[in-house]
Amino acid sequence: SMSLREHALSLFRSAVGTVRPAPMLKRAVKLQGDGCPQLLVKGQAFPVRRDLYLVGFGKAVLGMAAAAEEILGDHLVRGIINVPLGIQESLQRAGMPEMLLKPHSKIQVIEGAKNNLPDPEALKGAVAIQELAEGLTADDLLLVLISGRGGSALLPAPIPPILLEEKEKLTKMLASRGAAIQELNIVRKTLSLLKGGGLAQLAYPARVVSLILSDVIGDPLDIIASGPTAANSHSVQDCLQILAKYNLLHNLPKSVETVLASSPSKPTAPEDYSHVCNIIIGSNMLALDKAKGQAEGLGYATLILSAAICGEVSHVARLYCQLIRLVCLGFTGLGEGPLGDEVRRNLLQLAAKLEIPGLNLAEFLQALRGLEPERPVCILAGGETTVQLQGTGKGGRNQELALRVGLGLHRAQAMEVSSPPGRCEIIFLSGGTDGQDGPTEAAGAFCSPELVDEALQEGLDVEAFLSNNDSYTFFSQFQGGHHLLMTGLTGTNVMDIQAILIRAT
């Protein structure tokens, strides 16, 4: 019988496997017919009348492009992709040749955006992509590969006369005054030739088919990589309001003033995007669905909580601890008593505070009640939490979340006289689907109340590790780092995945 840890690991691996570039593309894209070939994307057919072109930008695009070129064969005439600096070498070193283009590929690779900031290399790539798009005709088909992570920084093309440095400086000033990422993106899109639907407009009259790997909660098309092929829902007015809100209207560079004054006041009408088809081929939900099928195959009664988990790690950890308590109470037959009611009330309060988009917790709790009493339970979730950094330790949001959940469960068990520990075996896993969590080589961590018990018995101060944001060092000290989730680079990214596995003992 496999351990819960091994089960959790296999669920995580299958979730990530399903959004790796090659399987993801091969599932979504097929090329059919010889005489008049058609490109089939998730069941929609696009006739290949003349030439097929490809452009792409973002962290996972190199692997996506390699798979696309294999599928498209000789129909692909030319391609240009903008990818992060050093990525080809990293993938080579990691022994992932399937993520690299073959020799004599028709796709040109431009590496740029050092430290995920737009730079002259990224600009060079963006200009090349712009020129390719502008040269297309009504008979051409442009395939656009978009990977959310790094997609925005890899497609900088400020509207002339704005210089890249001026746009950068403005974005930095906004950020330093506390502007939210959405606000930054609205300003970026307004000053950009390619973002906010610009790329799709330049490619007209060619057909544009965008294949998108989403790393944003809720998969909003106009936000992922700043929406180069999606209708922009914001206008120049929105941009001016944001600049006014942060008192920047009066010290704008001349070039920015010029562009804002001459920009159309209304966003481009949606009907101007009739030549475009945006298709999400990879997302957190897709990965969770795959893991759910796997968990059911292993005999777990499985529920997906949400693919939009966000908020401060400490709050999210509390939510998970209460959920786990509720399941354990169910196993001991106390789920329907006053204790169970109290935990449900706590959960509803926590969820209201976290404001997780689209989460109907009452409905989820109802589904939890409906599970067969004897079967082991698996709860899956995904999204992206945040950590308020206070310490100088090593860790990442996933490792910290796992440690907080372990500590919370240890405390709950210490308080509960009615359900002696040992009635329930629990493992909690949290991991980043890109294989990296914070500045460490771990993707995340596994934790259990037993691990925390063991640490406390050895005189380790778990609280101190947490307040120093030092979860990586904590997990490294046990069983040779056996509790760290080590996957190496995965070549994809759909945010984070959490798995809770519980069985009665």
Side-chain angles (χ1 to χ4, degrees):
S1 85
M2 283 164 79
S3 69
L4 288 189
R5 181 187 175 282
E6 287 165 325
H7 281 173
L9 181 59
S10 78
L11 298 185
F12 185 80
R13 289 227 158 106
S14 70
V16 171
T18 201
V19 290
R20 276 186 187 253
M24 183 173 68
L25 260 119
K26 285 173 184 157
R27 238 193 354 259
V29 182
K30 310 231 177 331
L31 195 65
Q32 236 184 20
D34 298 324
C36 175
Q38 285 188 323
L39 186 68
L40 289 178
V41 185
K42 280 204 165 175
Q44 298 185 59
F46 303 94
V48 180
R49 291 200 187 89
R50 217 186 69 190
D51 292 335
L52 241 170
Y53 293 87
L54 179 148
V55 297
F57 28 90
K59 241 185 187 170
V61 156
L62 192 60
M64 288 166 80
E69 187 163 32
E70 213 172 289
I71 296 165
L72 303 173
D74 294 336
H75 290 283
L76 180 65
V77 181
R78 185 172 163 232
I80 302 171
I81 58 172
N82 256 11
V83 295
L85 192 66
I87 191 158
Q88 296 179 92
E89 198 196 334
S90 304
L91 290 168
Q92 195 90 54
R93 272 208 317 268
M96 296 166 85
E98 73 282 3
M99 298 268 185
L100 297 166
L101 295 169
K102 304 275 185 289
H104 316 300
S105 163
K106 290 176 187 164
I107 300 171
Q108 178 192 355
V109 181
I110 297 169
E111 292 193 356
K114 191 179 175 182
N115 302 328
N116 202 14
L117 293 168
D119 58 11
E121 284 309 301
L123 182 60
K124 195 178 92 182
V127 169
I129 287 173
Q130 180 190 338
E131 286 167 357
L132 185 149
E134 286 172 332
L136 301 177
T137 71
D139 287 336
D140 295 325
L141 183 61
L142 178 65
L143 200 58
V144 184
L145 306 177
I146 301 178
S147 141
R149 245 337 112 89
S152 210
L154 284 160
L155 199 69
I159 299 172
I162 302 175
L163 301 172
L164 187 61
E165 299 78 77
E166 294 176 317
K167 190 177 159 187
E168 264 309 270
K169 198 173 149 196
L170 180 60
T171 318
K172 279 202 178 111
M173 276 163 68
L174 273 167
S176 70
R177 293 180 184 199
I181 182 73
Q182 278 79 357
E183 294 177 315
L184 291 175
N185 273 344
I186 292 169
V187 173
R188 275 191 194 124
K189 287 196 290 190
T190 312
L191 305 178
S192 167
L193 276 171
L194 299 176
K195 297 181 167 95
L199 178 60
Q201 294 302 319
L202 291 177
Y204 183 85
R207 284 294 327 234
V208 177
V209 179
S210 260
L211 307 179
I212 302 168
L213 175 64
S214 167
D215 70 325
V216 182
I217 283 178
D219 310 331
L221 292 172
D222 64 332
I223 302 282
I224 302 165
S226 303
T229 56
N232 186 0
S233 48
H234 303 104
S235 67
V236 134
Q237 271 1 85
D238 298 316
C239 177
L240 291 168
Q241 268 174 347
I242 291 163
L243 293 170
K245 175 177 166 184
Y246 296 102
N247 292 329
L248 287 171
L249 272 183
H250 304 298
N251 44 5
L252 291 175
K254 266 278 160 282
S255 57
V256 173
E257 283 183 1
T258 308
V259 166
L260 290 173
S262 59
S263 295
S265 58
K266 285 193 171 55
T268 320
E271 57 268 24
D272 294 344
Y273 288 86
S274 56
H275 64 298
V276 185
C277 189
N278 287 305
I279 301 167
I280 296 210
I281 61 167
S283 66
N284 191 276
M285 197 61 193
L286 211 91
L288 291 177
D289 278 331
K290 178 71 180 177
K292 180 175 195 263
Q294 183 95 352
E296 286 169 345
L298 290 168
Y300 288 86
T302 309
L303 292 173
I304 294 177
L305 175 66
S306 162
I309 297 290
C310 54
E312 233 294 297
V313 245
S314 54
H315 301 317
V316 174
R318 263 189 232 125
L319 182 79
Y320 285 143
C321 285
Q322 295 291 333
L323 261 181
I324 293 167
R325 273 186 70 197
L326 191 59
V327 174
C328 290
L329 286 171
F331 280 145
T332 53
L334 296 168
E336 293 309 318
L339 255 178
D341 292 340
E342 185 199 332
V343 174
R344 277 188 205 89
R345 271 198 306 278
N346 289 348
L347 275 166
L348 291 164
Q349 272 172 351
L350 281 167
K353 203 157 117 189
L354 278 167
E355 293 181 351
I356 292 162
L359 173 62
N360 183 339
L361 190 63
E363 201 175 287
F364 180 83
L365 294 176
Q366 209 40 52
L368 204 53
R369 274 185 160 136
L371 298 180
E372 292 167 49
E374 295 307 306
R375 269 175 76 194
V377 171
C378 169
I379 296 173
L380 296 164
E384 201 158 88
T385 57
T386 44
V387 174
Q388 299 284 324
L389 282 178
Q390 288 155 335
T392 52
K394 243 181 120 174
R397 56 179 184 263
N398 289 291
Q399 295 162 70
E400 182 153 326
L401 179 59
L403 186 50
R404 283 185 183 279
V405 169
L407 181 61
L409 292 173
H410 163 81
R411 285 188 177 147
Q413 286 183 353
M415 276 161 47
E416 270 176 29
V417 197
S418 54
S419 64
R423 294 257 184 105
C424 252
E425 192 189 347
I426 303 158
I427 195 98
F428 176 84
L429 163 70
S430 188
T433 53
D434 59 354
Q436 290 172 307
D437 184 36
T440 71
E441 71 269 37
F446 303 85
C447 203
S448 63
E450 289 74 37
L451 180 69
V452 174
D453 296 345
E454 193 186 320
L456 294 168
Q457 275 162 18
E458 288 184 22
L460 287 178
D461 184 348
V462 181
E463 210 30 82
F465 281 99
L466 282 170
S467 54
N468 193 28
N469 301 114
D470 204 13
S471 48
Y472 176 80
T473 308
F474 173 87
F475 286 118
S476 304
Q477 302 197 4
F478 283 92
Q479 296 157 11
H482 175 73
H483 292 276
L484 286 166
L485 172 63
M486 296 291 201
T487 61
L489 279 180
T490 62
T492 188
N493 187 354
V494 292
M495 302 181 290
D496 303 334
I497 282 176
Q498 282 100 42
I500 297 169
L501 303 186
I502 308 172
R503 62 182 172 201
T505 48

